[in-house]
Amino acid sequence: KMNDIEIERAYGRGRKKHIASDYAAHLQKHGPLGMGEFGIVLHSFMDYFDYPTILLCGRIVDVLDQINNHGRPMEEYCFWPDVMDGLKEMFTRTQFAVDQGGYFPEIKAHPEKFILKRRPEFRDWLKMLRENGKFLYVITGSHVDFASHVASYALGEDWLDLFDIVIFFARKPSFFIDRRPFWKLNGEKEVDPFTGWDELDTKHFYSQGNWHDLNEFFEYATEWEPSASLYFGDNILQDILAPNKFTKNCDSIAVSEELLAEGMVGHPSKHPHAKDLVSPFWGSYFFYPEPSKKGGSVLTRASSFAKRKQSTGDIGRAESTRTTPSAALNEMKKAINLRRVSSFRTKEETENGTSSRTPSTIGRPGSGWGLLGKSRASSPINIACESGENSPEESSPSGNQTPQGCNSGRNTPCEPCEEYSIPKGQSRINTLWGMCIKSYAKMCIPDLDILVDYPIDYKYPIFAKDKDGEVIASGFFPADPVSLHHNPLPPSNR
């Protein structure tokens, strides 16, 4: 067991120095570019394809410890290349056609175990969008045979007729970065590669390619220049970060099943596999309470330092020149460069039951967005969406009035909790993927089906930012996740 000195020597004074912190900083600065440097020491398990690998890696570590070190942890492990070889064996796109690898044969034989059918109203909604001038496209990383198998089961055998153009095996996120050629498809085989957008056509489907040429085709096909696009996706790196970092006219909406699994304000959890998606150990996908600091911790030492500053500042001074508690706290902050947590209050505030932080409500700016706008700030969204005075809580599918129980809690004041005071709403988000959604997505929804019952001109909330780039309004729909409004116990008290 490491003592405090050893921990701070390894992880820094604030105990934040870690490869995962470097990973998060890299994502913020460069997006998904250059992620190879982290491949040996850190891997993000992003979707259902590789989630089971988490358990597999844990079992491998246990076995290696038992065989080589009498059950004690080893100093170093080197099994990830073997795991990657196994994943490639399972998921290489050619395995679907030859029924190899284990995964594809099973999903072909029993699609009902893995694929959810869409209700007829969803198909009607897609048709309605096109009838109202929306240009619908699909960009998928899956090869044509596997993607067609899944979509045919979920939407029907004629699913291609619901979209204007479909791109298979897009190889995201590099699809949004590189200028890779498109390939025509002869059945399942890629043929006749070409560059540029001239040979693209509506009512057709292609393989690979790139966003730059596809966007030029959008401008030609819709006669809108510049065009603006909205992209729905569930992979944070490929579908949210990449479009935001490497395109000028493609905004993303994050699709997060965790909203259904964890529950939203006014919407209890109803995901059929919530127990598999929600962990009482790891906590919420969007918020994890910081551990409370005990004796000997950085925060405790900082608090003691502040009190000493107050007491020494009072000696020999007149009443009018004594150092105030707030000034002492400022000195303490400058001295040790410690980021204060939101629950930190002075002794006087605690005794008086007051707080220097006034309750606040999250407002909405008046910016709007639509299908073919001029910029990210003006109107890039397929479904006409706007953030304004008429809040989504006041509107509904039938008459722009929200169905009962759809209160998002966005105007909930930040009332402090006596034992564990933390802000409420989107400002509480502190997990890596939660911060990526908040910073780089326009909205976050639990499922595309949630939009089906709302009219095309419905005004949806967005993650709006102020002039300094700080997010000041929530874009969760139909409501914020409950973890952003309920005060959980800090990990040390669980």
Side-chain angles (χ1 to χ4, degrees), residues 263-293:
M264 297 166 282
V265 176
H267 302 262
S269 171
K270 60 179 181 180
H271 195 288
H273 304 290
K275 291 183 178 179
D276 298 322
L277 292 177
V278 179
S279 165
F281 179 80
W282 293 112
S284 168
Y285 185 70
F286 304 97
F287 168 71
Y288 188 76
E290 294 289 342
S292 59
K293 306 290 185 179

Side-chain angles (χ1 to χ4, degrees), residues 290-479:
E290 294 289 342
S292 59
K293 306 290 185 179
K294 296 185 178 181
S297 70
V298 174
L299 185 56
T300 303
R301 291 197 296 273
S303 179
S304 300
F305 179 79
K307 293 175 182 177
R308 289 199 301 273
K309 292 290 290 183
Q310 292 179 40
S311 61
T312 56
D314 287 343
I315 298 175
R317 294 189 182 184
E319 188 70 26
S320 60
T321 60
R322 288 180 182 175
T323 304
T324 62
S326 59
L329 286 176
N330 288 335
E331 292 180 25
M332 175 271 292
K333 288 165 59 180
K334 295 177 182 178
I336 65 172
N337 193 25
L338 177 70
R339 180 182 298 173
R340 294 174 56 195
V341 295
S342 60
S343 59
F344 188 80
R345 296 188 293 178
T346 64
K347 181 179 178 181
E348 287 75 11
E349 290 173 339
T350 304
E351 291 175 351
N352 297 332
T354 62
S355 173
S356 60
R357 300 176 182 271
T358 57
S360 62
T361 48
I362 300 173
R364 293 182 179 81
S367 60
W369 35 314
L371 170 60
L372 297 173
K374 298 297 182 183
S375 67
R376 290 186 185 279
S378 57
S379 65
I381 188 165
N382 281 354
I383 306 166
C385 302
E386 185 176 339
S387 169
E389 293 299 322
N390 296 325
S391 65
E393 291 87 1
E394 299 170 355
S395 305
S396 87
S398 56
N400 273 8
Q401 295 297 322
T402 294
Q404 186 174 2
C406 282
N407 183 0
S408 70
R410 291 186 183 87
N411 292 325
T412 303
C414 298
E415 299 174 0
C417 171
E418 290 185 2
E419 295 185 359
Y420 194 63
S421 177
I422 42 183
K424 290 185 177 182
Q426 53 81 23
S427 59
R428 180 181 290 189
I429 298 173
N430 64 356
T431 61
L432 174 59
W433 303 128
M435 290 297 293
C436 286
I437 289 174
K438 169 183 170 179
S439 301
Y440 303 116
K442 275 291 184 181
M443 289 175 60
C444 182
I445 60 176
D447 192 288
L448 262 175
D449 192 75
I450 201 73
L451 307 178
V452 170
D453 296 323
Y454 291 82
I456 195 170
D457 59 349
Y458 186 79
K459 297 178 181 179
Y460 294 90
I462 63 173
F463 290 111
K465 299 180 180 180
D466 61 17
K467 61 181 181 180
D468 298 320
E470 294 295 325
V471 178
I472 59 174
S474 176
F476 290 105
F477 185 81

